[in-house]
Amino acid sequence: MDAMSRLIASDAVARLRAHDTSLYSTDYDTRKKIGERLGWTDLAEKAPGRFTLLENLAAQVVAEGCDDLVLLGMGGSSLAPLVLAGIAGPGAGFPRMHVLDTTCPRTVLGLLDSLDQERTFFVLASKSGTTIEPNYLYAIARAWTEERLARPAAGKRFIVVTDPGSALEKTRQRELMRVTLPGVQNVGGRFSALSMFGLAPAALIGVDLAEYVRIARDMELACALPAEQNPAARLAAWVFDSFQTCRDKLTLVCSPSLRPFGLWVGQLVAESTGKDGTGIVPVLEDDVAAEPGYGDDRAVFVLRTADDAALAEWAEAMRRTAPVEEVVLEAPIAIGAEFVRWEYATALLGHLLEVNPFDEPDVTEAKKATAAILGGTAQVLHASDDVADTWVTFAGALDRPDGGPGSVTGAVAHLLATIEPPDYLAMLAYLPYDESLLAPLREAWRQVGRTTRNATCFELGPRYLHSTGQLHKGGPDTGAFVLVTARDRTDTLVPGQPHTLGALFRAQAEGDLAALAT
């Protein structure tokens, strides 16, 4: 039975809309937890009730002279705003938005150094209020703001988005921050694009909320249709049917102006499906000018603008060698509809794969390992070789080569010698967000993929810990990983914490290496 027939036979769409948790499990405790994550299915319908609050807040922020808005968040709290900032905003007269989702001291301090305390506002976004990265970033940003502004005035520069009753809500009251915009408690982070976590940043950078939500609502209604007429069901069925033919590398190709969307889809798909030894591996492709040389494990999703003739031609050519699904975005503001389409499709895909798409059981492994390293209760995996002033560590199932690697090239070659055609290669880079550093690595990794014909993923840490990190540890055992770190003299104290931001950044890399090695 093909995927669409299975969705029709199980009445999956209607059951999802009815929040029928038996769609995913028969276990009582599991079903109870899933029931606490299904509040996203009608977010667009409910969104207009928040417009007045958000539009008034945006007008106040503009009137108070805000030029730059910095979002402090990770994963589901940051990627939808990152997409909106890159595709749909800012509107005329509204602030630029910067998404700070790293603990790299050079990136954090470099951004703050480029901004003016008197003309910068912050959105502190965390569903639970306990996520370590935004809390550390807040402490640093607050101290930076108070260099020029008195404490009450500085507090007015911080807007909080969190769930009602969270630890962060209590911090907001104590720290005299401006306002709390409440999330929806029964919506998980990666399904929250149409909740306050996505709507608030959109409003603050001048996105036309009424039009944005109207288009998203149209898609929400379409996703309630019977499976054979349903755009999300068709997408889920296409991904699953591709998966059934061993095409589990979902290659995401977007027009240049739409590329941030790939990061959001990658997080949603990887974290939702990558568990119990299965999963769809998202591969972001941003260079389609050359012959891609893909292996036969690829399915290709194309999101393009109507005027991107080059990508349309490329997609047509790709249909000769791989299944291709193509969506044309008629206007940037229509990106909200794609959030809805993919959320519904991913939920239905979880049913087809027989995994729970609403949990992330392996994400905590790296968090625990990081905490243990920071607390001094765990030992860091030691380097086995020093080659040309680069320390090399072999871990997990990859043994040190006899006689040592000899060079960095030798170390990478040793890894590549272990891979087979269905494997994927992931470079996990704990480096500053600096294209002069990242671009050569990205291009080298792309060339490796073209040579081996294996899918290659280029991930930035610690961002990926809250997205594809779940897939790396809980998904199929087909990943080979190169984790890259660098010593950096740039660092800063974190007010109220016993260690520096650089120590956290380093510990997150070392913690994930330890988690992957198991």
Side-chain angles (χ1 to χ4, degrees):
M1 186 184 297
D2 67 11
M4 182 58 74
S5 299
R6 290 178 60 178
L7 291 174
I8 293 170
S10 64
D11 199 20
V13 172
R15 290 167 65 193
L16 175 60
R17 291 282 298 178
H19 296 183
D20 179 356
T21 58
S22 68
L23 193 62
Y24 302 103
S25 178
T26 58
D27 177 74
Y28 173 80
D29 290 335
T30 302
R31 289 181 60 182
K32 183 179 179 184
K33 291 177 181 178
I34 292 171
E36 296 168 355
R37 293 286 192 98
L38 291 173
W40 54 271
T41 57
D42 58 356
L43 285 175
E45 178 185 355
K46 294 176 178 176
R50 301 177 172 91
F51 286 178
T52 300
L53 167 65
L54 292 174
E55 288 167 351
N56 288 342
L57 178 62
Q60 293 168 14
V61 166
V62 169
E64 291 173 28
C66 177
D67 288 337
D68 293 278
L69 184 72
V70 182
L71 186 136
L72 312 175
M74 298 299 295
S77 300
S78 67
L79 288 178
L82 187 150
V83 171
L84 289 165
I87 294 176
F94 286 86
R96 299 175 294 267
M97 185 160 69
H98 313 268
V99 174
L100 204 50
D101 60 351
T102 181
T103 52
C104 174
R106 195 193 302 187
T107 300
V108 173
L109 298 179
L111 175 61
L112 294 179
D113 286 347
S114 72
L115 303 176
D116 180 348
Q117 285 102 325
E118 295 183 350
R119 305 190 70 81
T120 302
F121 283 65
F122 294 86
V123 174
L124 175 54
S126 173
K127 181 175 172 63
S128 68
T130 59
T131 306
I132 191 170
E133 296 96 337
N135 287 342
Y136 275 45
L137 293 173
Y138 163 69
I140 293 167
R142 182 63 184 257
W144 174 80
T145 305
E146 290 185 3
E147 291 174 2
R148 293 275 293 277
L149 300 176
R151 187 168 184 267
K156 294 295 184 183
R157 300 303 174 97
F158 289 84
I159 296 162
V160 171
V161 184
T162 191
D163 279 359
S166 76
L168 182 54
E169 166 58 9
K170 296 178 177 63
T171 300
R172 184 204 70 82
Q173 296 170 359
R174 186 173 61 252
E175 296 283 305
L176 306 177
M177 288 186 265
R178 187 182 197 110
V179 67
T180 296
L181 302 174
V184 182
Q185 286 182 308
N186 63 343
V187 175
R190 58 187 176 275
F191 286 83
S192 66
L194 269 293
S195 79
M196 197 64 84
F197 285 93
L199 293 177
L204 291 166
I205 62 171
V207 172
D208 181 346
L209 289 184
E211 182 66 1
Y212 171 70
V213 168
R214 182 192 67 78
I215 297 171
R217 175 58 178 158
D218 286 346
M219 179 61 75
E220 202 170 77
L221 291 170
C223 291
L225 294 172
E228 57 268 36
Q229 304 168 254
N230 186 311
R234 290 198 298 268
L235 178 57
W238 172 77
V239 175
F240 183 76
D241 285 339
S242 300
F243 174 83
Q244 290 289 78
T245 60
C246 299
R247 294 181 178 271
D248 66 335
K249 311 304 187 303
L250 177 61
T251 302
L252 303 163
V253 185
C254 302
S255 292
S257 63
L258 305 178
R259 279 179 188 157
F261 186 70
L263 285 172
W264 181 84
V265 172
Q267 178 221 16
L268 179 70
V269 171
E271 200 167 22
S272 298
T273 70
K275 58 202 75 173
D276 301 333
T278 190
I280 307 297
V281 180
V283 181
L284 277 58
E285 178 63 74
D286 60 4
D287 181 10
V288 297
E291 176 63 35
Y294 293 157
D296 58 6
D297 58 349
R298 303 292 193 107
V300 181
F301 177 83
V302 174
L303 178 68
R304 65 174 179 87
T305 56
D307 61 353
D308 192 344
L311 185 52
E313 183 179 345
W314 181 89
E316 187 59 34
M318 279 301 303
R319 294 181 198 278
R320 295 194 291 266
T321 58
V324 176
E325 187 77 5
E326 186 176 10
V327 171
V328 178
L329 199 70
E330 297 297 336
I333 204 166
I335 198 66
E338 299 313 306
F339 287 145
V340 174
R341 185 201 308 263
W342 275 97
E343 286 173 353
Y344 268 89
T346 302
L348 294 171
L349 185 58
H351 168 64
L352 292 168
L353 291 168
E354 299 181 353
V355 299
N356 173 7
F358 306 110
D359 68 353
E360 48 285 322
D362 298 290
V363 168
T364 58
E365 287 186 37
K367 292 181 181 179
K368 290 178 180 177
T370 296
I373 289 169
L374 284 173
T377 60
Q379 203 170 38
V380 175
L381 293 173
H382 293 296
S384 61
D385 296 273
D386 184 349
V387 291
D389 296 324
T390 297
W391 292 353
V392 179
T393 302
F394 297 92
L398 186 67
D399 295 326
R400 179 178 180 271
D402 294 338
S407 65
V408 174
T409 301
V412 176
H414 178 60
L415 173 73
L416 297 183
T418 71
I419 64 171
E420 297 178 354
D423 296 338
Y424 70 96
L425 295 158
M427 180 171 284
L428 314 175
Y430 283 80
L431 295 170
Y433 289 1
D434 178 348
E435 279 304 304
S436 68
L437 293 172
L438 299 176
L441 276 177
R442 219 183 248 115
E443 179 56 27
W445 209 231
R446 185 181 293 121
Q447 293 296 342
V448 166
R450 287 175 179 162
T451 301
T452 65
R453 294 176 64 83
N454 290 84
T456 57
C457 308
F458 189 89
E459 313 271 17
L460 295 177
R463 173 191 283 168
Y464 77 82
L465 294 178
H466 298 262
S467 57
T468 51
Q470 167 62 42
L471 173 82
H472 297 162
K473 290 177 277 289
D477 188 17
T478 55
F481 305 95
V482 177
L483 196 152
V484 180
T485 67
R487 295 291 185 184
D488 194 337
R489 295 180 184 273
T490 304
D491 204 353
T492 184
L493 295 171
V494 181
Q497 298 297 332
H499 39 256
T500 67
L501 187 65
L504 172 60
F505 187 52
R506 182 75 182 184
Q508 288 181 300
E510 293 168 339
D512 197 48
L513 177 61
L516 285 169
T518 62

